[in-house]
Structures are given as structure tokens and as C-alpha cells.
Amino acid sequence: MIIQIENLHHTYMEGTPFETKVLHGVNLEVKEGELVAIIGPTRSGKSTLVQYMNALFLPKTGRVVIDGHDTSKKTVDVRKVRQTVGLVFQYPEHQLFQETVGKDVAFGPKVCGIPKEEIDDRVSEALDAVGLEPKVFKNRYIFALSGGQKRRAAIAGVLALQPKVMVFDDPTAGLDPKGREEILGTIRRVHEKQGLTVILVSNNLEDVARMAKRVVVLSEGKVVLEGSPHEVFSKVEVMRQIGLGLLQTVEIMSRLKERGFNVPLDSLDADETARRIFEYKQAMKGGSAGGAV
Amino acid sequence: MELSKDITLGQYVPRDSVIHKLDPRVKIILWMVLVTALFFIRTYTGYLVFFIFLMGVIHLAQIPILYALRGLRPAIPFIVVLFIIQLLFSGSLYADSTNVLFEWSFIRITAEAVRTYSLTICRVILLFFSVTLLTLATSLVGLTDGMESLMSVGRPIGVPANELAMVMVIALRFVPTLVEELERIMKAQMARGAEVETGNFIQRTKQRIPILIPLLMNTFQRAEELIIAMEARCYRGGKGRTKRKTLRLGILDYQAIAVTILFLVVFFSLTKYVIPASW
Amino acid sequence: MIRVENVGFAYNATSPNPIRALEGVSLQINKGEFVAIVGHNGSGKSTLAKHFNALLLPTEGDVWIDGINTKDKKSVWDIRQKVGMVFQNPDNQLVATVVEDDVAFGPENLGIPSEEIQRRTEEAMALMRLTEVRDKAPHMLSGGQKQRVAIAGILAMRSDYVVMDEPTSVLDPLGRLEVMESIRVLRREGITVILITHFMHEAIEADQVVVMDGGRMVMSGSPREVFAQADKLRSLSLDVPLVTQVAARLARMGLDIPPNVLSVEELMEYL
């Protein structure tokens, strides 16, 4: 278990008139090498939860253990935790501050005291991983990059720390289809080629359906659903009730079902949806044909 | 890490209280009167009475007193340092004092200095407190509407009341957004291994660069987008602009004025004739 | 009616290195229509959007709003009153510290009497279901709510046209639904809606879909006409709506379904 969260509570602005409970006893375990997605409506506590994985918050109630480091203990080495878990915030391109891509990617390793020769290698590797050819992009000025490229450069800045776990907070927000594909491709490469554990927090259900092996649904600070994408997305009632809405494919299936087509709800993409509808049609035909004989 | 937690200054606590209901212009003027009055107090007792009065007002505004006091916390170190420095280096101002409490080399602490600076500290605290009080119980909208209305008195002599108010509104509107953004950038850099607030002065300044540069860039970006959005909504300065709300005084406002005047009259009569000047 | 006539635009047009963003775009948008302009970043769709209310003026060609040329300097404020804009980032377009004041910001700029501003503000907030959050600060609202505040601000200006520049691209799923629902409300009020988006399913309900690529208008027509050309769209790295994709696959599997199905209801008719 690389991440272990037990009974985690969090209160925002504790002790002020603006006090709000954000997390109410969250339990979550992530195995090494998994690709887990966390979804939930606005203010469900997703962003707060991921900050515990990076020791930006330390638990007051409950326990968070990251690769053996218990962050609820006073003796915890916060830097170790941050080197284990790389956290990519929403709109990470907003954190770029150096003039060139290479310098910005090198920032993390540099402050962590990595020797100079190794930093160079790490920068090249990280740029490679996000699909920015190091030879071309290392010396390029940040302001000369497109929106999607800036975001990938920022992701490289986190990858260069060589963490075991990468957490992405809404990585495709605001990008066009092309930009989105590039980011998702990067995440997939990091997961499959480098074997990193990936936690994908997303507002885009389509992205999650395509990427995740396991989905965790948060609502009002609690885990309300957990399972494979097929299991989770087919829970139409819960998804509607917590205000997340449905995956487009599931929406199609559930509308068909409402009109008396007895198709399974759990389809994640166009291919699967078409296949299931086709199979249903064949079965119906077979059934009615058989009945006629 | 939560930056917004200890900042009470400028935080509005919505309540349905008498204080909240007052006309913002009345609140601003009464507040200015009280703040001016602060500068005429020369006794500890005076500050104490004044403090109790402000507490009463906070209570009336249904704001938890502890929360109101919390805002003082970040200011305490500054106040203490200020007090000590003043005390240590002001000996020469009281050269002919007979009440020397401590003397060593150029340092000379006199009873008069202690009293003067203690009173100054009391004044600073109360000043801070009254500003907090005004902002905790007056919505930003109220404040800016009130300011605009008061400033428009100066319009004939060329005071751009509307524009000034607009600047204030936008500044206030973006404070929470920028605080959130600052928090996010700080966290993002910390997640990359950056240390915040350690080491000596030069190191600390260097540590702030990764935070300040993005913050500045994003603020420019926001400003640019905001200007476009405002122009798209036909904003062209204060000229020809009308307001949705017109402010009117009510009974409550007159009562508040009366109570404040009464308090000040009684208060200064007491300090002049009853309370000894040395208390 | 909006008429775009052979419009070309370059950023830094007078500099030695102008950046061409639009090339020979012609387009007509009738009153009450819902037009979706799709394309990816850099296709010129946002640049085109800014031409509809004189935030940008064409380098070549003309844009006419109800017969007024956007180049006519005297009419700029009339045009901006007629054509409202909703931008991508809800955080950077709200001006005031509370919802109600923000909705009133536009009409206040038009110099309308106080009572009338108040009335319009109330109406607009009611239409956008904001009355309950009227005294909330913008940063306390969800993304979908913020966009509804922006739309209410335009309603209160009594604009005839609303241009939305990727209003859903930074929102969560619920926020996206809120914006789409708001578009339906605008249409019911008889307002012309121009939606710039890269989510294809948002264009399904449009009367006209315009596809932009490299500053040119490469396709236009009804959603049915445009989405029938899945291959051409794919070559522009754009997709067709999911229902259409499913229908196309079913057709390939041998079912008798046309390739330009646009809704689940329609799909059912063929099953």
C-alpha cells in the first residue's frame, strides 16, 4: 500500500465564523502501480484530500501514511513525503516562473539538493516523458509556449523530482481536444512506461472513463462510491443525486432504458455502447424470431 | 496551511444585527469621529473605557469577540518590537526626567517614556480594533457605496468619486481570489520541494521569487481580462453612470449618532473632571 | 442580424510581423438563432467572437450589427449594449463584490434610472435562478453559478445578442449543464446566442454550426449537415457528438441508421 488514509477529517478555517467541514472520515487505500481516479462535485473535498497525500496538510484527526511515512506523527520527514508524491495542481502553468523551460523544470531537483550533472539528466528525462523534445524545448522561453505546452512543462517540473506517485488535480481543465489528448497521453506514459502510481482528480468524466482502473467518488467530504469505472458510472441514481451528472455514454444507455430498451448501463465509450446496442438488437431479433416459429 | 484563517481585517461577517443595518455613511463618519477621539485620550482608564465601549459594539454586531481579537495576533510581534525600540532609543527625549528606571550607556529608560509608549500601544491596538470592527460589520458593498456617496461631496472640485469607488470595489473583489491564488502557488512550489520562510534574509527573499513572479504574472493576466470584460459591459468611467441603490437615513441611524455623541460627551467629561490624569 | 463580410484580422497589423488570425470569414446570423462556432485553440474562433461587439475591429472587411458597422466609433457603446459577452474564466469577468451588484453593473453603465436598474436586476436574477445567492461574494459561488451571474449581467443590459467564448471549458460537469440550460433560457427570451466551444455535444441544439480552422471558416451548416462529415472533422482533430459516433458505428455493424443522428430520441427511432 503506497497510500493509506484512515478516517481523515478536515475543517476549513477552524475557529472562525467561516468554519466548514470539508472531509468527514475519508478512508482510501492506493496500491503501488495503480491508476486511481477521484471524482466528485465542486466542494466535495477532492482538492483538500490530495493535499494530504503531499503533506501540505497534516492530519489532526485520522491517519495518512505515505509509503511508510505516517504524516500524523510529529517526527515525519515532510520532504521525504513530498519527494515520494508529486502533486500537479490545477492550472500548473500558473506556477512557472523561470524564463526558460529547462530552468523551470530544474527548479525542484535544485532545491532538493540533487547534484548538477544529475539535474541535467532528470530535466531531459522529464521533458521526454511529457512529450516535449528536450533538444528543442530546454532552452525555449516559457512565454513562447502554447497553453498545452506550458502545462506539460509544468508537469515535467514535478516529474523531475522522480516521485513514486503522481497526483494530477484536474489536469485537462480549459484545454481543447488536442491539448487534452496530449496531457492524457503524458499521464498514460508516466503510468505505463515509468510504472508510477497515478492519482487522477478530474472534473471530466470522459477522461476518467478512459484512463482509470479504479474510481473513487467523493461527495460532501465522504467516499460514497468506489469500484471499477464500469461499476461506478452505472450507478445512475447516486451520480445524479450528488450532482455529478452522467457519463455521456451512460446517459445514452439510461435514456434508452427509460424507453424500454433493456440495455446494460455500464458502457464507457462509443465502441462499447454501439456493441451493446447491437447485441441487444440481435438478441431481440433472435428472441422475436424464435417466438414466431 | 491556510492563509485566510488569521486575516480578520477586511473580512465581513454577515449578521442581521443593529450595527449591520446602519447606513454605511453613518458608520464611516461615526467611525472617523471615534478614531479622532482616540487621539485625545491620555489615560489608561480612558483606553479601558473606550475598549469596553468597542466590545459592546462588537457584541451588538453579534460577532464573536474572540474572533475579532484574533486579528490582532499577527500584529503582536510588530507591536512588541516597536515598543521596545522606542523605549530603548528615546532616552534623550526625556533628558531632564528624574524618574530614570534604568540607565546603561546610551540607553535610558524613564517612567515618562514607559507611560507615553504604553499609551501609544493602547492607541494602536484600539485603532486596529476599530478598523476591524468597521469592516467586520459592514459589507464591502456598503463600505464602497458609503465612501462613494461621501466623496461625491467633493465632485464639484474635481474628486473622481465614482472612479475611486470602482478602484476600491475591484481591489476588494480580488483580494480573496488573489489570496487563494497565492496559497495555491505557494503550495505548488512547496510540492516541488521549495522551502518557504527559512534561512536568513537573502535566502528568504530568494525563496519568494518563485511565488511572487507567478503571482504578478497571473495578476496582470487577470487585470487584462477584467478590463476587456468591463469594456464589453459598456464601462467608460464614472461619466453618465447611474447607481442601482440610493442611500437613505433611517431612525436607527439617528439613534446611533445620538448614542455615540452621548458616549463621547460623558466620556470626555469623566476624563476631564472625574478620572485623575495619572490613571 | 449580424453580418460578417469577408473579414480578415491580424494581431499587430502595423508591425513588421503581423500575426494573421482571421482570413476571409463571411457569416450571417439571424435574430433569435443559436449559432455554435467550433474549432480548437488557434483556429481563430475567439478572435472572431471579439469582433461581434467591437472589442476587435476587422483589418479587412466589415462586421455589421443590426446595420451598424462596428468600425463606426460613435456607435461602439450601442453595439456593446446590443451584444453581450460571456468569457471563459468566470473569475476574471465579475466586477463587483456581491452578485446583485455585479448583475447591476452593466445597466449602471448605461445611465438608466435607479428603479429601472433595480427592476432589471431582479428580473435577470430570477431568470438565472440567482435570487437566493444575491448577496453572496463571487468567490463563494461555484463555477456554474459565476457564469450564470455573468449571463444575468447581460440580460439586465437587455442585449439582443449574447456571445459566449468557451463558457464551459473550465467548469465541472454540473456547471456545464447549468450553462447549457441558461442558453435554453436565453433562447426562450428571444435572444440570439453565439456559442464558441470545443465540446461538440454543446453544438447539437444549434441552428447553425460553424467550423473554424487556421483562421478560416472551413465548414458551416446545420448540425445535421456538419456532423454528417465525421471524417472531415476528424482530419481537423475535432470529433462528432457521441450519439452520432454511436450511430455511425451501428451503421457500420449493418444496422439501417443514417450517419447524422443527433439525439438519443432519434437513435431510438431507428432501433
Side-chain angles (χ1 to χ4, degrees):
Chain A
M1 230 37 88
I2 196 150
I3 293 177
Q4 226 175 328
I5 295 172
E6 282 167 27
N7 194 28
L8 182 62
H9 289 259
H10 181 85
T11 310
Y12 174 68
M13 291 187 93
E14 203 164 1
T16 74
F18 306 101
E19 185 175 301
T20 355
K21 284 229 173 346
V22 184
L23 297 177
H24 291 269
V26 171
N27 291 298
L28 178 69
E29 288 191 336
V30 179
K31 287 198 204 76
E32 195 149 10
E34 260 195 305
L35 199 166
V36 184
I38 300 177
I39 55 176
T42 315
R43 278 164 232 267
S44 56
K46 303 173 287 198
S47 294
T48 307
L49 180 61
V50 293
Q51 289 178 38
Y52 275 99
M53 300 180 181
N54 190 261
L56 283 169
F57 284 132
L58 301 174
K60 280 187 190 153
T61 327
R63 231 159 67 99
V64 176
V65 185
I66 309 295
D67 200 21
H69 305 280
D70 187 340
T71 66
S72 51
K73 292 230 173 77
K74 282 222 171 66
T75 51
V76 69
D77 185 350
V78 170
R79 303 194 65 161
K80 279 256 167 60
V81 176
R82 293 199 184 138
Q83 276 171 25
T84 310
V85 181
L87 177 49
V88 179
F89 275 84
Q90 230 177 0
Y91 306 112
E93 61 274 25
H94 289 176
Q95 78 198 31
L96 300 170
F97 73 100
Q98 299 277 25
E99 59 268 70
T100 66
V101 175
K103 274 192 193 167
D104 206 280
V105 177
F107 171 72
K110 216 166 128 193
V111 292
C112 290
I114 309 293
K116 207 170 171 306
E117 315 76 64
E118 201 191 325
I119 292 180
D120 271 355
D121 292 343
R122 281 193 178 201
V123 170
S124 300
E125 253 172 68
L127 284 175
D128 237 351
V130 298
L132 297 175
E133 173 58 43
K135 275 201 196 90
V136 183
F137 283 95
K138 213 177 209 166
N139 295 317
R140 187 155 297 181
Y141 286 105
I142 298 267
F143 66 78
L145 302 183
S146 75
Q149 287 171 337
K150 272 188 199 162
R151 190 166 295 185
R152 281 185 285 152
I155 293 175
V158 179
L159 274 175
L161 295 164
Q162 301 194 338
K164 290 186 186 170
V165 183
M166 280 293 277
V167 182
F168 295 91
D169 192 353
D170 213 1
T172 60
L175 295 179
D176 66 348
K178 225 157 117 192
R180 200 158 73 230
E181 284 311 315
E182 286 162 358
I183 297 286
L184 293 181
T186 296
I187 296 175
R188 196 170 290 128
R189 265 200 305 278
V190 163
H191 175 63
E192 285 166 5
K193 284 217 180 117
Q194 310 197 6
L196 297 194
T197 309
V198 170
I199 293 166
L200 171 67
V201 179
S202 183
N203 273 327
N204 191 313
L205 302 183
E206 271 66 36
D207 290 355
V208 170
R210 280 174 53 192
M211 302 285 294
K213 311 267 166 19
R214 185 154 72 93
V215 182
V216 176
V217 185
L218 275 189
S219 171
E220 292 174 1
K222 281 193 192 121
V223 175
V224 289
L225 275 179
E226 202 180 336
S228 72
H230 282 97
E231 284 163 4
V232 167
F233 286 118
S234 60
K235 299 274 190 308
V236 172
E237 258 94 81
V238 187
M239 295 288 279
R240 280 216 180 105
Q241 189 217 323
I242 62 171
L244 250 184
L246 300 182
L247 197 62
Q248 283 185 56
T249 45
V250 176
E251 176 84 49
I252 293 177
M253 290 309 221
S254 79
R255 299 263 284 279
L256 286 174
K257 202 161 187 175
E258 276 164 27
R259 307 293 171 88
F261 289 78
N262 196 17
V263 287
L265 288 172
D266 60 337
S267 78
L268 301 184
D269 59 28
D271 282 328
E272 201 172 13
T273 310
R275 201 169 58 239
R276 295 217 154 134
I277 295 176
F278 186 74
E279 279 161 10
Y280 168 77
K281 278 285 285 182
Q282 295 304 102
M284 286 291 286
K285 234 199 247 158
S288 53
V293 172
Chain B
M1 193 182 78
E2 276 170 8
L3 285 176
S4 23
K5 201 163 147 182
D6 277 332
I7 303 171
T8 53
L9 197 68
Q11 286 279 10
Y12 171 59
V13 183
R15 291 282 181 274
D16 194 25
S17 83
V18 196
I19 305 291
H20 285 74
K21 279 188 197 127
L22 291 179
D23 186 302
R25 290 172 299 178
V26 172
K27 272 194 269 192
I28 295 169
I29 289 182
L30 290 183
W31 174 77
M32 291 200 294
V33 170
L34 284 171
V35 166
T36 316
L38 264 180
F39 286 91
F40 292 97
I41 304 176
R42 300 264 179 272
T43 58
Y44 294 117
T45 342
Y47 282 114
L48 186 67
V49 174
F50 216 89
F51 184 67
I52 293 169
F53 176 75
L54 287 181
M55 285 297 185
V57 180
I58 289 180
H59 186 70
L60 265 182
Q62 298 170 15
I63 292 163
I65 288 177
L66 274 178
Y67 177 68
L69 285 170
R70 174 186 221 132
L72 213 54
R73 211 157 59 181
I76 288 173
F78 292 102
I79 295 176
V80 170
V81 169
L82 205 71
F83 180 71
I84 293 173
I85 291 177
Q86 281 191 318
L87 212 52
L88 292 182
F89 300 106
S90 62
S92 57
L93 289 177
Y94 297 90
D96 44 357
S97 167
T98 48
N99 268 325
V100 179
L101 300 177
F102 177 81
E103 193 164 6
W104 176 78
S105 170
F106 61 92
I107 295 168
R108 191 177 142 95
I109 299 174
T110 63
E112 285 87 346
V114 171
R115 184 181 166 84
T116 310
Y117 295 125
S118 308
L119 287 175
T120 311
I121 296 300
C122 289
R123 188 178 300 155
V124 169
I125 291 175
L126 280 175
L127 207 61
F128 179 83
F129 216 60
S130 42
V131 179
T132 316
L133 175 58
L134 180 69
T135 57
L136 283 179
T138 316
S139 69
L140 297 175
V141 182
L143 270 182
T144 46
D145 284 349
M147 291 292 260
E148 182 175 358
S149 171
L150 291 173
M151 282 190 297
S152 62
V153 177
R155 203 175 278 155
I157 55 163
V159 177
N162 200 298
E163 284 82 353
L164 285 173
M166 197 71 222
V167 168
M168 235 162 76
V169 169
I170 290 174
L172 291 171
R173 147 82 181 84
F174 278 93
V175 164
T177 314
L178 293 179
V179 169
E180 261 170 44
E181 185 148 304
L182 175 65
E183 195 173 313
R184 195 169 62 218
I185 295 171
M186 280 173 79
K187 284 177 172 174
Q189 307 298 30
M190 278 161 77
R192 288 213 273 170
E195 303 259 352
V196 181
E197 308 290 298
T198 53
N200 63 34
F201 178 74
I202 295 168
Q203 281 168 333
R204 279 194 203 194
T205 314
K206 267 178 98 177
Q207 284 158 5
R208 288 198 184 117
I209 291 172
I211 293 159
L212 291 181
I213 290 181
L215 187 69
L216 217 63
M217 306 266 282
N218 297 344
T219 309
F220 285 142
Q221 172 77 30
R222 270 182 206 286
E224 205 178 312
E225 285 183 27
L226 187 70
I227 289 168
I228 295 177
M230 286 173 71
E231 281 192 9
R233 292 168 77 183
C234 295
Y235 184 71
R236 53 199 126 154
K239 223 172 135 196
R241 213 171 124 76
T242 44
K243 297 286 287 180
R244 178 174 62 91
K245 273 175 302 188
T246 35
L247 296 168
R248 264 184 217 99
L249 295 188
I251 302 171
L252 212 56
D253 298 302
Y254 293 112
Q255 285 172 341
I257 296 171
V259 168
T260 313
I261 293 175
L262 193 69
F263 166 73
L264 289 175
V265 169
V266 172
F267 178 77
F268 280 105
S269 316
L270 279 177
T271 46
K272 187 145 191 211
Y273 302 111
V274 184
I275 304 170
S278 60
W279 281 16
Chain C
M1 189 173 72
I2 296 182
R3 267 189 305 138
V4 178
E5 282 175 355
N6 212 9
V7 163
F9 180 80
Y11 289 99
N12 306 329
T14 50
S15 81
N17 310 308
I19 304 158
R20 301 291 307 174
L22 290 178
E23 212 73 68
V25 176
S26 293
L27 181 66
Q28 181 173 319
I29 297 167
N30 295 318
K31 267 225 163 106
E33 261 192 326
F34 171 20
V35 178
I37 302 180
V38 300
H40 45 75
N41 293 352
S43 64
K45 60 187 195 307
S46 290
T47 307
L48 180 59
K50 291 198 177 80
H51 278 79
F52 293 127
N53 72 342
L55 283 174
L56 292 178
L57 299 176
T59 328
E60 297 110 39
D62 293 289
V63 177
W64 302 83
I65 312 292
D66 290 344
I68 310 171
N69 192 323
T70 57
K71 284 176 183 160
D72 177 5
K73 286 223 164 59
K74 283 185 301 249
S75 307
V76 85
W77 303 111
D78 291 336
I79 289 171
R80 290 192 185 156
Q81 184 270 318
K82 277 177 190 293
V83 186
M85 278 202 89
V86 177
F87 297 90
Q88 179 184 35
N89 189 336
D91 276 324
N92 299 350
Q93 57 183 315
L94 303 186
V95 179
T97 45
V98 291
V99 168
E100 200 170 4
D101 279 355
D102 195 84
V103 175
F105 178 75
E108 284 182 337
N109 290 334
L110 300 176
I112 298 165
S114 300
E115 307 79 59
E116 174 68 9
I117 297 178
Q118 184 62 38
R119 217 167 44 104
R120 289 185 179 193
T121 309
E122 297 287 344
E123 268 176 33
M125 284 193 299
L127 274 172
M128 285 295 118
R129 296 180 292 112
L130 292 165
T131 316
E132 261 175 45
V133 294
R134 62 192 303 158
D135 50 11
K136 282 248 165 70
H139 72 278
M140 307 297 270
L141 305 180
S142 73
Q145 283 174 320
K146 283 184 224 176
Q147 288 301 41
R148 281 192 278 137
V149 175
I151 298 170
I154 294 170
L155 277 169
M157 282 176 78
R158 297 276 157 87
S159 300
D160 298 319
Y161 305 89
V162 177
V163 180
M164 300 185 167
D165 192 358
E166 296 188 32
T168 61
S169 74
V170 300
L171 302 184
D172 65 350
L174 191 69
R176 290 203 280 268
L177 290 177
E178 284 175 62
V179 171
M180 292 317 287
E181 184 51 41
S182 305
I183 290 180
R184 280 174 214 124
V185 174
L186 289 174
R187 299 199 68 194
R188 241 177 278 141
E189 296 291 304
I191 293 167
T192 310
V193 178
I194 301 161
L195 173 70
I196 319 289
T197 184
H198 47 236
F199 292 117
M200 290 303 149
H201 57 272
E202 292 179 352
I204 292 176
E205 289 171 44
D207 299 306
Q208 198 186 154
V209 178
V210 173
V211 183
M212 299 286 297
D213 189 61
R216 289 170 195 279
M217 206 171 100
V218 288
M219 289 164 88
S220 82
S222 68
R224 203 170 294 286
E225 289 159 8
V226 171
F227 292 138
Q229 308 173 57
D231 291 335
K232 188 166 179 197
L233 282 168
R234 209 159 298 129
S235 73
L236 303 167
S237 34
L238 292 171
D239 231 323
V240 294
L242 200 87
V243 195
T244 320
Q245 287 179 40
V246 171
R249 281 169 174 74
L250 285 170
R252 240 177 285 143
M253 288 169 173
L255 296 190
D256 184 20
I257 295 177
N260 53 1
V261 166
L262 292 179
S263 70
V264 182
E265 285 69 28
E266 221 180 306
L267 179 65
M268 272 183 273
E269 281 170 32
Y270 293 103
L271 290 178

